[in-house]
């Protein structure tokens, strides 16, 4: 059975669906944080594919992080939205990592895909887990549930475009907000802040150039939509002020992306339900003492996501009829 290599970079990259980790009901478990955009993309994949009963979740609290890293509440009522560790009743996420590798010295990140049968981590890389959940449980879904069985976030006919967008969106926006936010010099901040906004500009131009698109690549939702949503829904809410990304806001400066994000939030079932702004805002504002030493969580913007209007609904209906 695969083991974690002794000289590792902090990642487990085993594949669910391989001979060692076949898809089975009641075998696998997810560890996530609702605050984390990388965990959120996995939660969205699980939710939209209808995999809740195949893949139960344990959810860490959004803070504190110091003194041992991400931790679980003592009860499910301690911090709404967080849960106890349903498998081991661990106090800290690092306890789960040490169960898989007692010599582990990397970071304790979410998401984590755990195998109950072999008692080890399968994978802790969000894109890997997204891609695996996209297809690996399809045969377990009810035969009459064709919508979720057929839902494919990485369809063959769009893979070239998805890979191309991933190649610049992931480093320059999804990770880019952190490069700007955690910069330790003015020069590094200036450079990375500009990169973030040039990437948002590029995505705005893409939607402007494709006015019939309801999703980033047309009429079909893909992993690009999930990855972009989990970053942009945090942008005005916390990244803009916390990471000093003040050149513009999604709601005021990017009309095409703003409507696309509102559509994701209000009209794609499961997206709003997995977006927890309390977890998001309190995680960033109360976990980064070097950025926000008093740990005050800001109010606003209000509302967190603007309402879906009749003009928005007309826009949606026109595109669904194309």
């Amino acid at each position: 059975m695969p083991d974690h290599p002794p000289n590792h970079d902090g990642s487990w990259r085993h594949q669910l669906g391989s001979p060692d980790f076949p898809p089975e009901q009641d075998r696998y478990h997810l560890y996530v944080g609702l605050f984390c955009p990388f965990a959120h993309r996995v939660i969205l994949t699980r939710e939209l594919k209808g995999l809740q009963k195949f893949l139960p979740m344990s959810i860490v609290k959004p803070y504190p992080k110091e003194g041992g890293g991400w931790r679980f509440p003592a009860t499910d009522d301690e911090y709404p939205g967080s849960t106890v560790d349903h498998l081991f009743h661990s106090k800290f996420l690092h306890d789960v990592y040490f169960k898989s590798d007692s010599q582990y010295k990397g970071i304790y990140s979410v998401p984590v895909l755990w195998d109950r049968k072999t008692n080890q981590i399968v994978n802790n890389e969000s894109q890997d887990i997204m891609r695996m959940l996209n297809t690996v449980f399809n045969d377990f879904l009810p035969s009459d549930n064709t919508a979720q069985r057929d839902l494919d976030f990485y369809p063959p006919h769009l893979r070239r475009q998805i890979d191309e967008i991933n190649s610049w969106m992931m480093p320059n926006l999804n990770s880019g907000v952190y490069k700007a936010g955690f910069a330790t010099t003015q020069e590094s901040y200036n450079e990375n802040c500009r990169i973030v906004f040039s990437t948002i500009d590029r995505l705005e131009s893409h939607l402007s150039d494709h006015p019939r698109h309801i999703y980033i690549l047309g009429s079909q939702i893909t992993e690009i939509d999930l990855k972009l949503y989990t970053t942009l829904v945090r942008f005005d809410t916390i990244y803009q002020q916390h990471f000093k990304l003040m050149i513009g806001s999604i709601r005021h400066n990017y009309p095409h992306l703003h409507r696309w994000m509102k559509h994701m939030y209000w009209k794609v079932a499961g997206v709003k339900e997995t977006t927890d702004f309390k977890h998001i805002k309190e995680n960033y504002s109360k976990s980064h003492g070097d950025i926000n030493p008093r740990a005050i969580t800001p109010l606003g913007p209000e509302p967190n996501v603007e309402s879906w209007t009749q003009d928005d609904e007309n826009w949606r209906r026109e595109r669904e009829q194309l």
Side-chain angles (χ1 to χ4, degrees):
M1 185 61 62
D3 198 4
H4 198 214
N7 297 314
H8 52 76
D9 63 357
S11 296
W12 278 259
R13 305 297 292 272
H14 305 311
Q15 291 296 305
L16 184 59
S18 67
D20 291 313
F21 300 101
E24 297 176 10
Q25 193 163 347
D26 301 322
R27 175 167 176 172
Y28 300 99
H29 193 85
L30 267 179
Y31 288 95
V32 299
L34 301 183
F35 53 85
C36 173
F38 301 99
H40 194 180
R41 58 176 65 165
V42 170
I43 297 169
L44 280 173
T45 306
R46 170 186 179 268
E47 184 78 14
L48 272 59
K49 287 290 293 185
L51 303 179
Q52 294 89 330
K53 73 176 183 178
F54 301 105
L55 202 55
M57 293 193 310
S58 296
I59 306 171
V60 297
K61 296 197 299 183
Y63 75 94
K65 187 178 182 182
E66 69 278 359
W70 304 124
R71 63 199 70 195
F72 299 95
T75 70
D76 287 350
D77 297 326
E78 179 183 318
Y79 190 103
S82 296
T83 72
V84 299
D85 175 1
H86 294 304
L87 294 186
F88 307 112
H89 300 285
S90 308
K91 182 176 181 180
F92 293 99
L93 181 64
H94 70 238
D95 297 327
V96 177
Y97 272 78
F98 290 150
K99 286 182 183 297
S100 189
D101 180 353
S102 61
Q103 303 302 312
Y104 181 68
K105 296 184 178 7
I107 61 173
Y108 315 113
S109 62
V110 286
V112 172
L113 178 63
W114 182 270
D115 180 12
R116 297 172 61 186
K117 180 175 286 188
T118 61
N119 215 38
Q120 65 176 304
I121 294 173
V122 179
N123 199 295
N124 67 339
E125 164 50 50
S126 63
Q127 178 161 289
D128 287 356
I129 300 174
M130 286 182 75
R131 295 266 177 95
M132 291 185 281
L133 299 188
N134 184 44
T135 58
V136 76
F137 286 111
N138 280 354
D139 291 341
F140 290 79
L141 293 170
S143 58
D144 59 349
N145 188 354
T146 56
Q148 289 176 321
R149 287 169 66 96
D150 294 343
L151 183 60
D152 187 351
F153 298 117
Y154 191 56
H157 70 287
L158 292 176
R159 287 181 184 176
R160 182 188 60 79
Q161 292 169 269
I162 291 171
D163 292 344
E164 193 274 329
I165 294 176
N166 272 331
S167 71
W168 49 265
M169 186 181 78
M170 290 279 289
N172 296 334
L173 179 58
N174 301 126
S175 297
V177 294
Y178 294 95
K179 295 174 186 176
F182 292 125
T184 57
T185 67
Q186 186 70 51
E187 292 74 19
S188 177
Y189 161 76
N190 289 352
E191 177 184 2
N192 286 291
C193 182
R194 293 291 183 188
I195 289 172
V196 165
F197 280 97
S198 67
T199 306
I200 299 175
D201 291 342
R202 186 173 180 180
L203 289 160
E204 176 74 6
S205 295
H206 170 83
L207 286 180
S208 177
D209 292 343
H210 298 87
R212 295 186 175 185
H213 284 195
I214 197 166
Y215 297 107
I216 297 299
L217 293 177
S219 61
Q220 182 172 353
I221 189 171
T222 71
E223 69 174 47
I224 295 297
D225 296 283
L226 305 190
K227 292 173 179 177
L228 181 57
Y229 171 81
T230 58
T231 292
L232 290 196
V233 80
R234 288 161 171 78
F235 199 90
D236 291 3
T237 304
I238 195 67
Y239 291 161
Q240 190 179 31
Q241 60 85 23
H242 189 69
F243 286 159
K244 305 177 183 69
L245 298 169
M246 304 299 294
I247 292 175
S249 67
I250 304 304
R251 67 186 62 197
H252 293 131
N253 301 99
Y254 296 95
H256 296 90
L257 283 171
H258 185 218
R259 176 173 271 168
W260 164 87
M261 188 182 73
K262 289 201 300 178
H263 176 263
M264 288 287 293
Y265 183 82
W266 292 111
K267 294 300 177 179
V268 180
V271 173
K272 177 179 182 289
E273 293 77 6
T274 62
T275 304
D276 192 309
F277 288 105
K278 178 177 171 64
H279 278 243
I280 290 168
K281 294 183 74 170
E282 292 194 350
N283 164 256
Y284 288 91
S285 61
K286 298 184 185 303
S287 296
H288 303 150
D290 53 340
I291 295 176
N292 189 28
R294 295 190 183 274
I296 295 172
T297 301
L299 298 176
E302 295 178 342
N304 289 310
V305 177
E306 292 189 352
S307 300
W308 188 252
T309 67
Q310 187 58 53
D311 284 345
D312 293 325
E313 185 61 19
N314 294 339
W315 169 88
R316 183 180 71 89
R317 290 176 178 175
E318 288 172 1
R319 276 143 192 81
E320 288 183 344
Q321 292 170 2
L322 293 174

